Amino acid sequence: MAAGFGGTIFGARRMLAGMANAAATAPKGILSGADLVLLNEVGETILPATTGSGGARAANVAESMADMVRSFYDEREQATFTAGLVKLQAASRERFSGREYLGLSAAERYDLLLGLDQADPQPEYYRMIKQLAVLAYFTSEIGATQAMAHVAVPGRFDGVVDIPPGTKAWSD
Amino acid sequence: MSESQTPPGVAARGRASHTYDAIVIGSGMSGGWAAKEFCEKGLRTLVLERGRGVEHIRDYPTAMAESWELPHRGELTAEFRRENPILTQCDGVNGANQHFFAKDGEHPFEQKKPFAWIKAYQVGGKSLVWGRWTQRWSDLDFEANAREGIAVDWPIRYADLAPWYSYVERFVGVSGNRDGLPQIPDGEYLPPMQFNVLDKHMKQSIEARFPGRNLVISRTANLSKPFEGRGVCMYRDRCSRGCPFGGYFSSNSATLPAAAATGNLTLYPDAVVHSVIYDEGARRAAGVRVIDAHTREATEFYARVVFVNAGTISSTLLLLNSTSSRFPNGLGNDSGQLGHNLMNHNYRVNLSATHDGFRDKYYFGRRPTGTLIPRFRNMGGDRQADFLRGYSFAVFTSRGRGGLGAGDPPIGAVFKEKGAEVGPWHMSMGSMAEQLPYYDNQVTLSRDRTDAWGMPLLVIDADYKENEDRMTRDMLATSSEMAEAAGFRDIRCRDNHETIGLSIHEMGTARMGRDPRTSVLNAYNQVHAVKNVFVSDGACMTSSGWQNPSITYMALTARAADHAVDELKKNNL
């Protein structure tokens, strides 16, 4: 697979199994500009800028996530995802006395998302956001070339190379 | 190449301008070889390709695109999957290469039972997207039908084809090791690609624990050193997008340019061959009838010899559609075998597993091939009571992103950094199993439905049978025991029950044989009763072996073309 995630996306797996519903083509513009801002900021908390590599915001994961929601999800999944952004804001207001996600400090954002991540059961919308953010990030130029190691044209194959612990994986 | 021309009508230019020495139907793996051989032997050759023109390098739009530059990051959309329920069953199709596959709507067909017919209609055909695995057949394969009384005997043996394997390998450029194994005879190889550390470990474990089983680097048509002026493999592993470095063999990169360089090649894309024209008086083929893919205009071309290389099922379709009073049931179909004995390799067993060792070893570059466990069943000292023939496994080992441990945070800086680190070794094993030829696995023509070019719709009726199912059960057991012996954990092994067809190794339907009463083609791929028509793509296969078949089609084609030219010189055609 070109981007290395064939069949790993919600929905895509079912489509592979031939169970795709006959839903009409997903409408364009499922997510608003404000949604994209929110997704980049949620993404940045999950995959922040670090010393060696830009984070999800710099990689603009929101644009790719929106494309995946539009292009890969079926209608039910799209509805779960968009409703999930509303639920995320509600969770933020509930936990931080009425403040929405963008009004939170970095530490508060981390606490909110960590709570969702560790909730049992983990909310489906959160699982979707996290999965798409990770996919979008590691297939972005920043994720693939800064966070991971990338050589577009290796020019040779060395079968056995010694590496120290902590070596970055090659991106495709 | 003159591929941008539109074929003029016969009336407009006269019959002479529509006459060539040789016509080759199809520009893929075998058609490219027929074109090269004829052109180099001085024949004015017309290649007819039903798909669009694809020029080497110029028409590889995604070849240099990185993941972030591809639409949808290189993944297929839900809409594409809905529109192509057959094509998208094929794992090899993705957003970066889908432009080289025919969409389901482009060439509809009927399925009596589910059959995934995966097609690639363009100049170069499937040679642009092939797997590039090129193991030779041996007499274990050529003698099998006769030994077991299955179907009919092959009219040739390994000794007949061995020099032609060498001949094509010396032009194709095959990287590989000379392993000295009887079931995959050694050929003319460029240096082999290296093993990684897990490959070495698996080879050692499997060969020590299971005498008679081996693990080798797959012989692969990627250039491990500069070759024939075509370039060299850059180890990008993006072959199926077309290679701008000329790093692997395709018609587009190799045979068609060689044919064009002679000045003898005329190549018409968008030319759907409707039928072969049979001259009742001369008792030979006069030429072919062609439909323009876009305007639907019909025209005819004439030649002394016609090579049918449209791709197994498409070749048989146009032969079945070539009816005359002499051949009311399809050209050369005196035996009634045309359309029957369709075979495909059984790729149903998939195993995946993880290995905890070798964490301090990695690799550099993306090797565009894997390792091979060649056939070990029903050969040497091995005898299986409940199935005939055998199978191999394709093995792929790699390490991806995955450095996170159980105690690491699920979000944040550590999650990102460790998540980008190299994880444990993963291995996948896939079966490549022989299917026996069965008369009732067949393609026929629809009586009442036609396609956009006025051709009857194909009806495909084929499935796996008892021998394949029994072999599948054995493959589940042997793949698992080899993974266990090599120390893997989390071994997941299953019969994926995938639709027949997905190996994209359609074979048979116009088989070679010794007897015109029971076969369509003779030992030189020549139609028994129409000596100036040859079929040398997968349709000619009398049995299927387990090997990826392209290199065998290439060798058969070069051999058949050589014979055809000899016969032309002797005025026998």
Side-chain angles (χ1 to χ4, degrees), chain B residues 91-110:
Chain B
D91 280 344
V93 180
N94 60 53
N97 66 16
Q98 56 84 9
H99 49 283
F100 288 147
F101 290 88
K103 308 305 177 286
D104 286 1
E106 286 176 32
H107 193 175
F109 65 102
E110 293 180 14

Side-chain angles (χ1 to χ4, degrees), chain A residues 114-152:
Chain A
L114 187 64
L116 291 170
D117 200 294
Q118 294 175 334
D120 186 19
Q122 191 182 63
E124 185 182 6
Y125 77 83
Y126 173 79
R127 196 166 75 243
M128 290 172 146
I129 292 172
K130 181 179 176 182
Q131 186 191 35
L132 293 192
V134 168
L135 288 173
Y137 179 72
F138 285 112
T139 54
S140 74
E141 183 167 10
I142 284 174
T145 66
Q146 296 179 5
M148 298 176 74
H150 186 71
V151 182

Side-chain angles (χ1 to χ4, degrees), chain A residues 1 3 5-6 15-16 21 23 25 45-46 48 50 53-54 64 67 71-72 110 113-114 117 126 130 134 136-141 144-145 147-148 150-163 166-167 169-170 172, chain B residues 64 66-68 70 72-79 81-82 88 91 93-94 96 194-197 200 233-236 238 241 245 359-367 399-401 409-413 415-417 420-422:
Chain A
M1 290 294 141
F5 52 71
M15 290 167 211
L16 279 173
N21 65 28
T25 304
T45 300
I46 297 170
T50 53
S53 55
S64 180
D67 177 66
S71 303
F72 303 153
Y110 185 90
L113 296 190
L114 187 64
D117 200 294
Y126 173 79
K130 181 179 176 182
V134 168
Y137 179 72
F138 285 112
T139 54
S140 74
E141 183 167 10
T145 66
M148 298 176 74
H150 186 71
V151 182
V153 183
R156 67 174 198 280
F157 179 73
D158 297 333
V160 182
V161 175
D162 288 310
I163 55 165
T167 296
W170 300 118
D172 285 337
Chain B
M64 295 303 287
E66 300 298 338
S67 60
W68 56 92
L70 290 166
H72 319 297
R73 300 286 158 96
E75 183 57 42
L76 298 171
T77 65
E79 182 181 11
R81 291 181 185 280
R82 274 195 301 275
T88 54
D91 280 344
V93 180
N94 60 53
Q194 295 177 14
F195 286 126
N196 65 42
V197 69
K200 290 182 184 178
C233 180
M234 287 287 143
Y235 301 94
R236 305 183 321 137
R238 292 178 182 172
R241 305 178 190 184
F245 301 96
R359 298 295 286 258
D360 61 341
K361 304 286 190 227
Y362 205 12
Y363 44 77
F364 177 86
R366 299 186 288 276
R367 187 181 64 193
R399 298 181 74 177
R401 199 173 59 74
I411 60 172
F415 171 76
K416 187 190 85 170
E417 293 283 313
E421 291 173 6
V422 61

Side-chain angles (χ1 to χ4, degrees), chain B residues 186-204:
Chain B
D186 292 334
E188 315 291 325
Y189 297 140
L190 304 180
M193 294 182 198
Q194 295 177 14
F195 286 126
N196 65 42
V197 69
L198 185 59
D199 299 330
K200 290 182 184 178
H201 167 75
M202 287 183 70
K203 178 180 177 65
Q204 201 171 36

Side-chain angles (χ1 to χ4, degrees), chain A residues 62-146:
Chain A
E63 184 182 347
S64 180
M65 292 170 73
D67 177 66
M68 292 177 189
V69 169
R70 186 172 58 238
S71 303
F72 303 153
Y73 279 178
D74 65 23
E75 281 186 341
R76 187 201 67 79
E77 291 160 335
Q78 288 169 346
T80 301
F81 191 92
T82 51
L85 298 184
V86 177
K87 288 181 185 170
L88 177 73
Q89 294 291 28
S92 178
R93 285 195 303 271
E94 184 181 345
R95 175 141 178 202
F96 296 105
S97 35
R99 283 184 293 143
E100 295 209 322
Y101 186 85
L102 297 182
L104 305 182
S105 70
E108 290 166 336
R109 292 176 180 186
Y110 185 90
D111 287 345
L112 177 69
L113 296 190
L114 187 64
L116 291 170
D117 200 294
Q118 294 175 334
D120 186 19
Q122 191 182 63
E124 185 182 6
Y125 77 83
Y126 173 79
R127 196 166 75 243
M128 290 172 146
I129 292 172
K130 181 179 176 182
Q131 186 191 35
L132 293 192
V134 168
L135 288 173
Y137 179 72
F138 285 112
T139 54
S140 74
E141 183 167 10
I142 284 174
T145 66
Q146 296 179 5

